[in-house]
Amino acid sequence: MPEAGLLSCSRYIDGILDMQSVMIGLGGAFPLFCLPQSGVSVDDAMKVFVKWASEHPDELHKPARVSVVVALNAAFPCR
């Protein structure tokens, strides 16, 4: 992935992680994925997404917000 693409991917995933934190922090929002107590770095979340995308190329026609959340939920399901 070219450097500009890596940066875009990183910032996009960081935004999704931040939005989930904000929604849960405001109260009442059901988490879309459940990260471990120690959290997950943006780099690790990117690796999760890239792995998921390579295993599910048929899903990549969906909006990025859907694909990223599905990938994170697969790796970090809520119990």
Side-chain angles (χ1 to χ4, degrees):
M1 185 179 296
E3 192 170 320
L6 272 175
L7 183 59
S8 294
C9 182
S10 171
R11 296 299 94 205
Y12 192 87
I13 291 174
D14 192 29
I16 288 178
L17 295 173
D18 281 348
M19 180 53 74
Q20 167 134 310
S21 294
V22 167
M23 296 305 295
I24 291 170
L26 290 174
F30 183 79
L32 299 172
F33 45 88
C34 293
L35 300 176
Q37 280 293 92
S38 60
V40 171
S41 71
V42 174
D43 285 343
D44 286 343
M46 278 180 44
K47 290 174 188 171
V48 164
F49 174 71
V50 169
K51 181 180 184 297
W52 179 88
S54 70
E55 294 171 354
H56 300 89
D58 55 317
E59 297 290 321
L60 297 178
H61 68 282
K62 295 178 181 174
R65 66 186 175 273
V66 172
S67 297
V68 170
V69 168
V70 168
L72 291 172
N73 179 270
F76 307 107
C78 297
R79 296 191 161 92

